[in-house]
Amino acid sequence: MFPTDWSPPPIEFLNLRVPQLPEELGQEPQDLDPQGSLTSLEELFWNMAGPSQKATAPVVDTHTLVSQYADLCCWLSSLCREQALEQEREKLLLHDCPDLYSLDLAEDEAPLTPEHRMLVERFSMSLQVIPPVHPGETVFLPRRHPLYCILDCSHLKPRSHLEGLFLSCPLAQQLSFLRSGLLSNLYLHTPDCPVPLLQWLFQLLTWPPETSSGAFGLLWDLSVNGLFHQSDGDKHWWCPSLQEVTEVFHSLGACSPALGLREPCQHSGRVLKNSTSLNWSEQQDAPLEIALDVSLNYIYKFLALCALAQPGAYTDGDLLGLIELLCRVGLDVGLRLLPKTDLQQLLLLLLENIHEWPRKLQKLCCSLSEVSDHHHNLLALVQFFLDVTSRSRWVLLHLGLPAQPQTASALHCTSQKL
């Protein structure tokens, strides 16, 4: 056995001796002198020992050294054979796959077999299949010039010389009355405002922002002023009918099929399709989408005022038709990325004004489900109804559930209890 304080040999010893062994292991030593080998082995271990080890080294048995030398030779021989086999395997592998080192063996770029490639191509899905924005519907067509709006003053009697001048002048001068503020001085402080004037201002909401902003401001002030001046028995507060709202959307460029109408919209005498006689003086500075959104927001706000001031102005049938019409307009492709705050608030008010709510709920949801054939558009339509009232929650629940008779009956009974 080795002494307890024996240290391993330095690395130079192994580097000098190991490379000569593979050549010598192939043949057995014939002229090997055991005594000479033992003497050299003793010298080897004696040179490897430190000064303290030489001073205290005990006498080592010769047979022990022979057995240790034989074990060392066997270990080196097995190590060389393993290295030779490993080199042989590497040569065979390189012969079978000459481009092995040029391949990138990353998991996501590993070469696929034809079978695997066929499966990947069959079941792969591109990220462009589900777009982040719904496709929308083509509701409004581009319109460069607004339609000619006529103020029907055939049944109006002027109460002042200035009012008579306003009623008798052409459209261009009437618009000057609106921009200069003279029209506000004429009718804002009177208890009753002529309905044809309110209808004319409502039609002017479809014009560019330079005109529609003034028309909306005056229409709002006249309506609120009439609301404060009306008595308890006087309920003749003007609200635009469903037909008039449809005409306004057509004046903005909406087509009849996009609004769900089977027949073309018939404009009243206040709106003329031919605008060649109009002395056009306005320039469209804002983009068409922005101008369209501004006009729609004016319409939504005024309809919300009507829904608040006169909850019973519309029948349930008109309310259902108006809600469907508004949802179709909100899906216009040019309005997809614009906020719908005014529209959402208007829809909440219209839902609250439905009288026979439990009975009309299913009919409303059925009509809304037919607004678009694209599921992504229907998902955007559902987002028009905010989850803030009980009726809007029922609409969201009905639009999100499958059309099953048992489910609809259970929801109908629950809504009656609420």
Side-chain angles (χ1 to χ4, degrees):
M1 297 297 293
F2 287 104
T4 56
D5 56 346
W6 179 83
S7 61
I11 191 64
E12 289 79 9
F13 163 73
L14 294 177
N15 291 337
L16 293 175
R17 291 294 183 178
V18 171
Q20 300 177 2
L21 289 176
E23 298 178 359
E24 299 175 359
L25 291 175
Q27 55 184 357
E28 295 181 357
Q30 297 178 358
D31 299 333
L32 183 62
D33 186 7
Q35 298 295 331
S37 298
L38 293 177
T39 304
S40 61
L41 187 60
E42 291 177 0
E43 295 177 355
L44 176 63
F45 282 100
W46 184 258
N47 294 330
M48 289 162 42
S52 60
Q53 294 174 351
K54 291 179 180 180
T56 60
V59 180
V60 181
D61 188 9
T62 305
H63 296 286
T64 303
L65 293 177
V66 171
S67 61
Q68 292 177 356
Y69 179 74
D71 294 339
L72 179 61
C73 292
C74 293
W75 177 76
L76 292 176
S77 176
S78 62
L79 178 61
C80 294
R81 282 195 298 268
E82 290 180 1
Q83 291 180 352
L85 292 176
E86 187 68 24
Q87 293 178 358
E88 188 68 22
R89 294 193 192 99
E90 185 176 356
K91 291 180 181 180
L92 294 177
L93 183 60
L94 292 176
H95 182 270
D96 296 338
C97 301
D99 299 333
L100 182 63
Y101 289 145
S102 63
L103 295 177
D104 188 2
L105 298 181
E107 184 178 357
D108 53 347
E109 298 181 1
L112 299 177
T113 61
E115 295 80 5
H116 292 170
R117 189 178 301 277
M118 181 180 62
L119 292 175
V120 170
E121 293 177 356
R122 180 178 179 182
F123 296 102
S124 62
M125 178 178 294
S126 175
L127 295 178
Q128 302 298 328
V129 175
I130 304 177
V133 182
H134 61 283
E137 299 287 345
T138 304
V139 180
F140 295 97
L141 301 179
R143 187 183 296 276
R144 296 295 177 179
H145 304 286
L147 296 182
Y148 195 94
C149 300
I150 299 177
L151 175 59
D152 186 12
C153 54
S154 58
H155 301 285
L156 298 179
K157 295 181 180 181
R159 290 168 288 189
S160 64
H161 177 72
L162 185 61
E163 184 179 3
L165 181 62
F166 167 73
L167 296 177
S168 61
C169 65
L171 177 60
Q173 297 181 6
Q174 290 177 347
L175 294 177
S176 299
F177 271 79
L178 175 63
R179 298 190 187 100
S180 62
L182 293 177
L183 197 59
S184 176
N185 295 331
L186 280 176
Y187 296 102
L188 187 58
H189 302 289
T190 58
D192 54 340
C193 181
V195 174
L197 178 64
L198 299 177
Q199 294 173 339
W200 180 67
L201 293 174
F202 186 69
Q203 290 291 336
L204 287 180
L205 298 181
T206 63
W207 279 49
E210 293 79 2
T211 301
S212 61
S213 59
F216 172 73
L218 182 57
L219 178 62
W220 184 276
D221 294 339
L222 292 176
S223 301
V224 173
N225 183 58
L227 181 64
F228 283 108
H229 283 86
Q230 70 178 3
S231 59
D232 295 337
D234 186 13
K235 298 296 182 182
H236 299 287
W237 198 75
W238 180 78
C239 292
S241 62
L242 180 60
Q243 177 65 24
E244 290 174 329
V245 176
T246 306
E247 291 180 5
V248 167
F249 289 149
H250 274 278
S251 300
L252 288 172
C255 50
S256 297
L259 297 180
L261 302 179
R262 298 180 180 180
E263 299 179 358
C265 179
Q266 300 295 332
H267 288 273
S268 61
R270 297 184 300 273
V271 180
L272 298 180
K273 294 184 178 181
N274 187 10
S275 60
T276 56
S277 59
L278 175 63
N279 185 12
W280 183 254
S281 60
E282 292 202 28
Q283 299 294 329
Q284 181 65 281
D285 296 332
L288 295 178
E289 292 80 6
I290 302 300
L292 176 62
D293 182 64
V294 170
S295 296
L296 290 176
N297 288 332
Y298 288 154
I299 296 172
Y300 298 154
K301 291 177 181 178
F302 183 72
L303 292 178
L305 177 63
C306 296
L308 284 172
Q310 296 289 338
Y314 300 100
T315 63
D316 286 352
D318 291 340
L319 288 173
L320 297 182
L322 185 57
I323 292 175
E324 180 184 355
L325 181 65
L326 294 173
C327 290
R328 290 181 180 273
V329 169
L331 291 178
D332 182 67
V333 64
L335 306 174
R336 293 178 297 172
L337 301 179
L338 298 178
K340 306 292 191 303
T341 306
D342 294 326
L343 175 60
Q344 292 171 339
Q345 294 177 356
L346 175 59
L347 291 175
L348 292 177
L349 295 175
L350 295 179
L351 288 177
E352 297 298 325
N353 291 344
I354 297 178
H355 302 287
E356 298 180 358
W357 168 248
R359 297 182 182 180
K360 300 297 182 180
L361 175 60
Q362 187 174 2
K363 183 179 180 180
L364 173 63
C365 295
C366 291
S367 62
L368 292 180
S369 62
E370 299 176 358
V371 169
S372 177
D373 296 333
H374 200 282
H375 63 280
H376 208 169
N377 290 335
L378 294 178
L379 179 60
L381 183 145
V382 171
Q383 297 176 358
F384 293 163
F385 297 91
L386 299 177
D387 187 9
V388 294
T389 63
S390 59
R391 292 193 176 186
S392 63
R393 293 188 186 99
W394 279 109
V395 173
L396 295 175
L397 185 60
H398 274 69
L399 291 178
L401 289 177
Q404 298 180 359
Q406 297 179 355
T407 305
S409 177
L411 290 174
H412 176 70
C413 296
T414 308
S415 62
Q416 285 183 336
K417 294 180 181 179
L418 293 178

